[in-house]
Amino acid sequence: MTEEIMSAVSGEVFGVWFLIGAALVFWMQAGFAMVETGFTRAKNAGNILMKNLMDFCIGTVVFILIGFGLLLGEDMAGFIGKPGLDIFTSYGDFDWSNFVFNLVFCATTATIVSGAMAERTKFLSYCVYSAIISALIYPIEAHWIWGGGWLAQMGFHDFAGSCAIHMVGGISALIGAKLLGPRIGKFVTDKNGKVTKVNAFPGHNLPIGCLGVFILWLGGYGFNGAACTSISQLGSVFVTTTVAPAIATAVCMVFTWVKFGKPDVSMCLNASLAGLVAITAPCDVADVTGSLIIGAVAGLLVVFGVWFLDYKLHIDDPVGAVAVHCLNGIWGTIAVGLFATTSAPGNDSVVGLFYGGGFKQLGIQLIGFGAVAVWTAVTITIAFLIIKAVIGLRASQEEEIIGLDSCEHGLTSAYAGFSIMDISNTMTMEVNENTSLGTEDYAEASPAQKAAAVKVAAPAGEAAGIYKVAIIAKLSRYDSLKKAMNDLGVTGMTVTQVMGCGVQKGAGEMYRGVEVDATLLPKVKVEVVVSKIPVDAVIEAAKKALYTGHIGDGKIFVYPVGKVVKIRTGEEDFDALQDVE
């Protein structure tokens, strides 16, 4: 009797956890929205948020009408579920929990495509192909794996969706981005159409992108663990879901540090997601050793994927969706056949090659990967080509340049009230060593070296009067300049952030493995007006503050605003300002 009670309680507890897991997977929609928004440009932020919102909302409608039946309906020859409308006709006996659980996974598949096709896709076209993925493409292949279809009967294992969800979304993203074409300015070509240069488009808000990654990681515990049926299995899944993305990120950090000279922030954020994707299929059958290896490969694979798309395939993927979801979805699917072990709680039948299982499971995993990949590639290509022919896929050139927020949604800015400066291709550069003057000490520098470092444009000689001094400097020298002016007694300053470039634009920083083109650099412009303080003293203090030992450390412009003349009246003398043309 006690055993029956405990069994009933356990069933109820895991039933509740099943729904909590579904809620966590739904919360991942917010993570995708944040990652995609942060990794793209501000002028398209509202458009991306709208797409991620509509993925779920449109997906819900079509999943109710057809998707759920195709996925979990009565099996028909192992290929498809029998469509039905039991949710309308027999609601009292309906499997509500299973419906919600599978709905949130379905919406995730469609969301993956958004990032790769961001910033140049028509909103209407996006809504149409999102509906097709949720209504037909995903439910049918998911039936093969989870609905009792032919892959399930064969013994194919994909516990939480490396193949059924991530790979399908990643392949769709790859084909969509290819058919759509790159964003304007992403690739520079010669007269023969050959790509000669790849340009970086830095994301406008990496803090939002980072928040999205943490949301997705949190959601991953529900994504991978919701279907667990015992405490030991759930604990093991939580371990593998933690270890793989952590190792992937650490490996990516080290690799980019060695490869590019500095650890790449956005690439490491992608690596966390890559580790989550790769462990999704084997999370219940892998041990910690397998998770370490799976994560390490994922951390390298995501860097390779971004490079391969940019430099070899010349496909523009703004957020790295193909590298994260397609490549690592494939890797996670295959990893089951390599690292599955019966030491994992609840696994007594799936054994990988490296744990004595031979090639049987690996062969099944490869068949499953191949079948789902072909299904997805064929169906999504047909869908995209029909959409392209009927309503068009890509926004116009004018709409892309202005931004989809304004053209598609009438939204002036997703950041109303904030001053937004688009610094695409305008990041701070390394100092060009060819500009070195030989010494970084101002006291040791010769007059010629000082003059070369900070150019001064001033009228010849010194005359009594009022002068405006405009100083253009690097942002990094602003604090030193401000202190120098204060020490001199200059307290009134006008400070403006400006953009510009000179001889110090140098070699570009790397963003996601692509050199950022330094067309303009962030600068600071400081303007002071002096009369009692000799203008030569201001110039000398500014030159000393700006000097780093390189040509082009700054520029100083001196303008005579007026001259002081004596005006005699019958009662007193006083100074007056007479404008000088």
Side-chain angles (χ1 to χ4, degrees):
M1 184 67 177
T2 303
E3 185 176 335
E4 291 177 359
I5 293 174
M6 292 303 296
S7 177
V9 170
S10 178
E12 290 294 318
V13 168
F14 277 97
V16 173
W17 162 245
F18 187 68
L19 290 175
I20 292 174
L24 286 172
V25 176
F26 167 75
W27 178 232
M28 291 175 75
Q29 292 290 134
F32 281 113
M34 294 298 97
V35 168
E36 293 170 23
T37 301
F39 279 20
T40 52
R41 292 171 290 185
K43 62 185 179 181
N44 299 304
N47 176 260
I48 289 170
L49 296 176
M50 189 68 169
K51 287 175 178 176
N52 278 270
L53 175 65
M54 296 316 298
D55 272 327
F56 186 82
C57 296
I58 293 174
T60 298
V61 174
V62 298
F63 198 68
I64 289 173
L65 296 176
I66 187 172
F68 184 68
L70 295 176
L71 173 54
L72 290 180
E74 180 184 345
D75 180 58
M76 300 173 65
F79 180 75
I80 196 172
K82 183 179 180 180
L85 295 174
D86 291 350
I87 195 171
F88 297 109
T89 60
S90 185
Y91 188 73
D93 300 320
F94 191 68
D95 191 351
W96 314 291
S97 298
N98 233 359
F99 173 81
V100 172
F101 184 76
N102 283 281
L103 167 62
V104 294
F105 278 87
C106 179
T108 300
T109 308
T111 296
I112 291 168
V113 186
S114 172
M117 299 176 67
E119 302 201 271
R120 73 269 199 209
T121 305
K122 284 185 176 182
F123 181 68
L124 175 59
S125 302
Y126 183 85
C127 292
V128 172
Y129 75 70
S130 177
I132 293 172
I133 292 172
S134 297
L136 297 172
I137 297 175
Y138 167 77
I140 291 176
E141 56 86 10
H143 175 80
W144 302 349
I145 299 169
W146 294 325
W150 67 276
L151 284 178
Q153 296 168 23
M154 182 183 293
F156 180 80
H157 187 87
D158 182 5
F159 189 70
S162 287
C163 178
I165 295 171
H166 292 291
M167 189 190 77
V168 169
I171 290 175
S172 300
L174 174 64
I175 294 172
K178 175 63 178 177
L179 291 175
L180 197 60
R183 289 168 292 175
I184 297 170
K186 175 63 179 178
F187 301 111
V188 178
T189 58
D190 59 19
K191 60 182 180 180
N192 298 319
K194 181 181 179 181
V195 174
T196 58
K197 188 176 187 299
V198 180
N199 290 319
F201 284 29
H204 85 279
N205 197 330
L206 283 186
I208 282 182
C210 182
L211 174 63
V213 169
F214 279 113
I215 290 174
L216 290 169
W217 197 329
L218 172 64
Y221 292 113
F223 200 96
N224 291 355
C228 292
T229 55
S230 70
I231 294 295
S232 58
Q233 186 186 42
L234 181 59
S236 177
V237 167
F238 267 50
V239 168
T240 58
T241 304
T242 302
V243 169
I247 295 301
T249 309
V251 168
C252 180
M253 180 194 71
V254 173
F255 182 79
T256 56
W257 207 332
V258 172
K259 179 71 175 177
F260 307 132
K262 295 176 183 177
D264 191 298
V265 178
S266 71
M267 198 77 83
C268 287
L269 293 173
N270 271 157
S272 298
L273 302 181
L276 285 169
V277 170
I279 200 62
T280 298
C283 63
D284 68 319
V285 295
D287 59 12
V288 72
T289 302
S291 301
L292 286 168
I293 299 172
I294 292 168
V297 173
L300 296 174
L301 198 57
V302 70
V303 181
F304 167 77
V306 170
W307 169 84
F308 190 69
L309 257 69
D310 277 346
Y311 288 95
K312 297 301 177 181
L313 299 182
H314 305 308
I315 295 175
D316 184 13
D317 178 359
V319 305
V322 176
V324 170
H325 298 280
C326 179
L327 295 187
N328 284 284
I330 295 171
W331 164 233
T333 303
I334 296 172
V336 172
L338 299 174
F339 299 101
T341 171
T342 53
S343 65
N347 177 39
D348 55 7
S349 59
V350 183
V351 184
L353 175 65
F354 297 149
Y355 287 82
F359 289 94
K360 179 182 178 182
Q361 189 64 44
L362 180 59
I364 294 173
Q365 296 301 119
L366 290 172
I367 290 172
F369 146 64
V372 175
V374 170
W375 163 259
T376 304
V378 171
T379 53
I380 196 64
T381 300
I382 293 172
F384 279 138
L385 290 177
I386 292 174
I387 294 170
K388 187 175 183 179
V390 176
I391 58 177
L393 265 178
R394 183 161 184 153
S396 68
Q397 185 178 56
E398 181 181 1
E399 290 171 332
E400 184 179 343
I401 292 171
I402 294 173
L404 300 182
D405 283 4
S406 174
C407 299
E408 291 273 24
H409 309 285
L411 184 65
T412 303
S413 171
Y415 298 92
F418 290 84
S419 177
I420 299 295
M421 178 183 291
D422 187 351
I423 61 165
S424 299
N425 304 334
T426 58
M427 294 178 68
T428 305
M429 297 293 104
E430 291 279 2
V431 173
N432 189 333
E433 292 304 321
N434 294 325
T435 65
S436 177
L437 292 167
T439 178
E440 296 181 1
D441 190 329
Y442 186 77
E444 296 178 359
S446 67
Q449 289 172 320
K450 294 175 182 177
V454 183
K455 297 288 187 181
V456 179
E462 175 64 42
I466 298 179
Y467 292 88
K468 182 173 79 170
V469 182
I471 304 164
I472 307 295
K474 295 185 291 184
L475 286 173
S476 60
R477 307 305 296 174
Y478 171 63
D479 286 338
S480 298
L481 178 62
K482 181 175 65 174
K483 185 178 185 303
M485 293 296 102
N486 287 338
D487 291 345
L488 194 62
V490 176
T491 56
M493 290 183 285
T494 300
V495 181
T496 310
Q497 283 189 274
V498 296
M499 306 293 288
C501 69
V503 295
Q504 284 195 12
K505 65 180 181 180
E509 293 282 8
M510 303 299 287
Y511 178 80
R512 302 171 67 80
V514 177
E515 184 177 333
V516 180
D517 184 15
T519 54
L520 292 174
L521 307 178
K523 300 280 187 177
V524 63
K525 180 180 180 182
V526 177
E527 297 174 296
V528 300
V529 177
V530 294
S531 58
K532 294 181 180 180
I533 301 173
V535 71
D536 283 344
V538 174
I539 293 171
E540 185 64 18
K543 289 174 65 176
K544 185 175 182 179
L546 302 183
Y547 186 82
T548 66
H550 289 81
I551 297 172
D553 279 339
K555 292 183 175 66
I556 300 174
F557 301 91
V558 181
Y559 307 96
V561 176
K563 64 181 180 179
V564 178
V565 296
K566 287 286 186 179
I567 298 179
R568 179 172 296 280
T569 68
E571 301 177 15
E572 60 180 339
D573 294 340
F574 65 93
D575 292 343
L577 177 65
Q578 177 179 302
D579 289 337
V580 176
E581 295 294 336

